[in-house]
Amino acid sequence: AQKITQTQPGMFVQEKEAVTLDCTYDTSDQSYGLFWYKQPSSGEMIFLIYQGSYDEQNATEGRYSLNFQKARKSANLVISASQLGDSAMYFCAISGGGGFKTIFGAGTRLFVKA
Amino acid sequence: AAGVIQSPRHLIKEKRETATLKCYPIPRHDTVYWYQQGPGQDPQFLISFYEKMQSDKGSIPDRFSAQQFSDYHSELNMSSLELGDSALYFCASSLRQGSNSPLHFGNGTRLTVT
């Protein structure tokens, strides 16, 4: 079984600063994918970034980067130069193992202060 | 670019009624997923379909059923509705099952059971 743990229910960050959202995972699969999704208060789920278990380089997408530490089973999301529009719920997720499902963590609510 | 389309956006039903939610995946996506998100909760996987066949099943109540049709659209049927079924229901699609396929979510159907 796969599991995602997000230990930060809420985080505050000052506008224009960087913030790291923590994510640890548990899986017995050799091949898996790790994802981060953003859910604004409007409710939609927005895909942000993906990291494959065999990828040696950390994934980056614009202001988002994923700090992947495979031995520690962590996949932290780093948001650089925070903007007010980054205020949202952020979910870490994992898929793999030949199954057709993606499992989500409990989420971290990010508040960006002006 | 075309996105996942869900209908209706909002639905209000009474206890013991039935509801049908529809999902039109992104063209050429071959896998469809259904998730249930209660207030303040992370999305919970219900069921998925790959090439019109059920591919995985999560915590979907026996009162719920789903299918994917020849045109790849999917429907989630919910019977004997309970107050606890009130939630945001997401459909998502991806291209080819695999651990490196991000889910693309629709805007969700908000179901309220009174």
Side-chain angles (χ1 to χ4, degrees):
Chain A
Q2 298 174 316
K3 186 179 179 181
I4 292 285
T5 302
Q6 295 180 255
T7 57
Q8 306 154 313
M11 289 280 288
F12 287 87
V13 65
Q14 196 68 38
E15 192 179 11
K16 300 180 185 177
E17 291 186 349
V19 63
T20 297
L21 307 184
D22 294 341
C23 172
T24 57
Y25 61 92
D26 190 21
T27 181
S28 56
D29 300 317
Q30 296 300 310
S31 176
Y32 52 89
L34 295 157
F35 308 86
W36 279 91
Y37 290 84
K38 173 184 178 182
Q39 187 174 40
S41 57
S42 51
E44 69 268 32
M45 292 285 285
I46 303 167
F47 165 68
L48 295 178
I49 195 167
Y50 157 81
Q51 180 85 39
S53 57
Y54 293 119
D55 294 342
E56 296 185 353
Q57 300 284 337
N58 285 342
T60 60
E61 287 288 347
R63 294 186 299 111
Y64 305 109
S65 61
L66 199 153
N67 184 0
F68 181 47
Q69 297 186 49
K70 192 170 183 177
R72 298 181 62 181
K73 293 190 173 180
S74 74
N76 298 338
L77 177 70
V78 180
I79 305 175
S80 62
S82 296
Q83 302 172 356
L84 295 178
D86 293 335
S87 293
M89 180 71 87
Y90 289 81
F91 291 101
C92 181
I94 186 170
S95 71
F100 289 79
K101 62 184 175 185
T102 297
I103 302 300
F104 289 79
T108 295
R109 186 168 294 280
L110 179 66
F111 300 90
V112 180
K113 299 182 291 184
Chain B
V4 176
I5 298 172
Q6 289 188 247
S7 67
R9 288 297 306 275
H10 301 274
L11 190 59
I12 300 174
K13 291 285 186 178
E14 296 188 353
K15 283 193 306 183
R16 293 179 289 277
E17 286 191 323
T18 61
T20 297
L21 310 185
K22 295 186 177 182
C23 169
Y24 295 84
I26 293 173
R28 293 185 293 110
H29 279 195
D30 50 22
T31 309
V32 168
Y33 311 77
W34 286 96
Y35 283 82
Q36 177 192 59
Q37 187 179 28
Q41 304 293 315
D42 54 288
Q44 294 292 313
F45 172 73
L46 293 178
I47 196 167
S48 62
F49 293 88
Y50 172 65
E51 286 291 347
K52 294 162 281 185
M53 299 289 290
Q54 181 181 310
S55 51
D56 209 336
K57 200 171 182 180
S59 50
I60 183 169
D62 292 340
R63 299 178 289 109
F64 294 6
S65 65
Q67 56 182 325
Q68 187 178 27
F69 295 86
S70 58
D71 65 351
Y72 287 89
H73 95 272
S74 179
E75 294 184 3
L76 178 65
N77 299 293
M78 310 159 71
S79 63
S80 303
L81 287 169
E82 302 173 357
L83 296 178
D85 296 329
S86 295
L88 185 57
Y89 290 84
F90 284 108
C91 173
S93 71
S94 69
L95 178 61
R96 288 198 307 279
Q97 181 276 332
S99 59
N100 60 348
S101 301
L103 304 184
H104 297 268
F105 283 82
N107 286 329
T109 293
R110 188 168 296 280
L111 173 66
T112 302
V113 181
T114 62

